[in-house]
Amino acid sequence: QVLLVEPGGGLVQAGGSLRLSCAASGRTLSGDAVAWFRQASGKERELVSCVDWNSRAYYAGPVKGRFTTPRDNAKNTVYLQINSLKPEDTAVYYCTSQDRGCYSSDPKNYEYWGQGTQVTVSS
């Protein structure tokens, strides 16, 4: 059984930072593309970032320059470092992985999902 866990969410003021973790068991993430999606209340799930097995990363426009996704293969963990948080970043953040690279922004193309972690940014 593959399990992805995403600790690190919480309530933070605008301008602050958070680091979310995507820790895996039952699967080695080093060969996977690991993506972060977010879903705000009443909105569709959207791709935030994706990092492939070679640490090449893609970032959605609204987060470019503020979010990074470092990998720690020794810990089988991928992080989402979120800086300069804005109220519009408020959402549930999910990590997900698959073994075909960062080729899709459609959640249906990702196989393994975490349970999500709430990030709330106050203004």
Side-chain angles (χ1 to χ4, degrees):
Q1 181 183 359
V2 177
L3 179 66
L4 301 181
V5 179
E6 311 121 326
L11 173 64
V12 64
Q13 286 190 329
S17 297
L18 279 175
R19 189 176 78 163
L20 310 184
S21 302
C22 180
S25 61
R27 185 170 181 88
T28 301
L29 294 181
S30 60
D32 275 1
V34 177
W36 289 90
F37 285 76
R38 67 184 180 187
Q39 188 165 18
S41 180
K43 295 189 177 180
E44 292 188 353
R45 195 168 295 192
E46 62 175 359
L47 178 68
V48 171
S49 69
C50 183
V51 59
D52 71 9
W53 66 273
N54 203 28
S55 292
R56 289 172 297 211
Y58 159 85
Y59 300 98
V63 309
K64 203 172 290 186
R66 299 188 297 122
F67 289 19
T68 59
T69 54
R71 306 181 71 116
D72 187 337
N73 291 335
K75 295 183 179 178
N76 204 27
T77 298
V78 176
Y79 302 97
L80 182 67
Q81 178 67 43
I82 311 175
N83 299 322
S84 302
L85 276 158
K86 303 176 180 180
E88 52 264 42
D89 294 321
T90 295
V92 178
Y93 285 72
Y94 300 88
C95 73
T96 179
S97 74
Q98 43 85 1
D99 61 3
R100 294 178 296 279
C102 293
Y103 76 101
S104 175
S105 61
D106 188 340
K108 297 189 201 62
N109 292 318
Y110 289 83
E111 187 171 2
Y112 305 103
W113 289 85
Q115 80 285 358
T117 186
Q118 177 70 48
V119 172
T120 303
V121 184
S122 63
S123 57

